Amino acid sequence: MTIVRTKSVELSIIPAIAYKQKLTSGGAGIKILRLDTEATAAATLDKSTGEPVPYGKIDETLFPIEAFEEAMELTLGMPYSGRQNIKIDVSKYTEKVEEPEQEIIDMVNSDEYQAIIERYSDEKGKLNYALMNKDFIKFASKSKTVADMVANSMSRDEILTFIIKSRATFIADKKESLDDEHIKILIETLDEINTRSAFKELKNFINKLLSKKRI
C-alpha cells in the first residue's frame, strides 16, 4: 500500500520536511516531520478557505502555523502520486521507509489523471492551470454537444462533467470514458493540487454560455 502525496519539501522556518497528502476522509492535508526530533504534526486544509487547520493537539513551539503555511506554498501546484511513507532517522537526517498509513489511491493512478498531469505540467513539474483551462475551453467552444446542452438549459456541473470526461478520454487515448462519479473524483483530485478550483476559468466560460441562453 502507498500514500497518495506530493514529493517532500524542505522547510526553512523550522528544521523539517513536509508534504501534502490525500486523506481517507476526503480532501487534503499537510504533514510535517521534524528533522531534529522524532516529532510529526498534521493539518487538514479547509476546502472553503484553503487554510491549514491543525489536526489534534500540536506543540506550536515545534510546529508554528507559519511552518504549515510555508509547506502549503512549497507544495502548491505539485501533483499527487502514490508514494511510500517517510520515517526520519534523526541521527542521520535521512529518509527510510516504514509501514505506510492507510490512504486511498482514488484517481491518482488512473490513465486519465496521469495523462492530464503529463500534458499540462510545466518545466518545474507543476500543473499549469491556465494552459489546461485554455485547452478545455477551446474544445467546449467547438463542441456541438456542449452547444446542445446549453440550448437545453442543462446545469453547469452537467456540462462541466461532459467536457472533462470527453477531454480526459481523448488525452488518455482511451476508447471508453469514465463514469460521472469517477469524473467527480478526478476533478476533486485536481482541485486539491492547488487552493483554487482547477477548472475555474472553464466554469466561468460555461456560466457565460448559460447566461447568454437566458437572455
Side-chain angles (χ1 to χ4, degrees):
M1 295 179 66
T2 57
I3 297 175
V4 179
R5 66 173 178 85
T6 64
K7 292 180 179 179
S8 61
V9 295
E10 188 168 358
L11 306 184
S12 61
I13 293 177
I14 58 174
I17 62 171
Y19 55 79
K20 182 161 65 177
Q21 67 181 37
K22 191 168 181 61
L23 307 176
T24 54
S25 56
I30 292 290
K31 187 167 184 179
I32 300 178
L33 301 85
R34 294 277 306 205
L35 294 172
D36 55 350
T37 181
E38 294 183 356
T40 64
T44 58
L45 299 184
D46 188 290
K47 291 184 178 181
S48 300
T49 65
E51 295 298 317
V53 180
Y55 182 79
K57 188 176 181 180
I58 292 178
D59 186 342
E60 294 185 3
T61 59
L62 291 176
F63 301 100
I65 191 65
E66 291 80 7
F68 287 102
E69 292 172 348
E70 182 184 16
M72 288 173 56
E73 179 65 26
L74 292 175
T75 58
L76 189 65
M78 282 188 175
Y80 288 132
S81 61
R83 297 177 179 275
Q84 294 177 315
N85 194 12
I86 296 174
K87 173 66 177 178
I88 301 298
D89 184 343
V90 177
S91 63
K92 298 181 180 179
Y93 281 24
T94 57
E95 298 184 5
K96 67 180 182 181
V97 178
E98 67 173 7
E99 287 298 315
E101 300 171 1
Q102 186 176 358
E103 300 291 340
I104 296 176
I105 296 295
D106 286 339
M107 294 301 297
V108 170
N109 283 338
S110 69
D111 293 334
E112 289 80 2
Y113 174 85
Q114 295 292 338
I116 287 173
I117 294 301
E118 181 178 356
R119 187 183 182 97
Y120 300 113
S121 289
D122 59 23
E123 65 277 3
K124 295 181 180 180
K126 293 190 175 184
L127 190 60
N128 187 326
Y129 283 81
L131 178 62
M132 180 173 68
N133 276 268
K134 182 179 179 180
D135 188 24
F136 279 59
I137 290 172
K138 182 178 179 180
F139 163 78
S141 65
K142 297 180 178 180
S143 171
K144 183 180 183 302
T145 301
V146 170
D148 290 342
M149 295 176 80
V150 171
N152 291 324
S153 299
M154 298 187 73
S155 71
R156 185 195 69 180
D157 287 345
E158 288 176 313
I159 299 172
L160 178 70
T161 297
F162 167 76
I163 294 170
I164 295 174
K165 179 187 294 187
S166 299
R167 290 304 291 164
T169 302
F170 174 79
I171 293 168
D173 195 23
K174 302 289 285 292
K175 293 182 178 180
E176 295 185 4
S177 302
L178 296 169
D179 59 31
D180 289 357
E181 184 60 30
H182 280 78
I183 290 296
K184 178 183 177 182
I185 297 172
L186 176 62
I187 295 172
E188 290 176 352
T189 302
L190 291 168
D191 280 344
E192 290 167 6
I193 295 176
N194 204 324
T195 54
R196 49 165 276 178
S197 168
F199 295 100
K200 183 178 180 179
E201 286 80 6
L202 177 57
K203 290 177 181 177
N204 290 339
F205 175 78
I206 298 170
N207 286 336
K208 289 179 180 178
L209 294 178
L210 292 172
S211 296
K212 291 179 181 178
K213 167 64 172 55
R214 298 188 189 101
I215 297 176

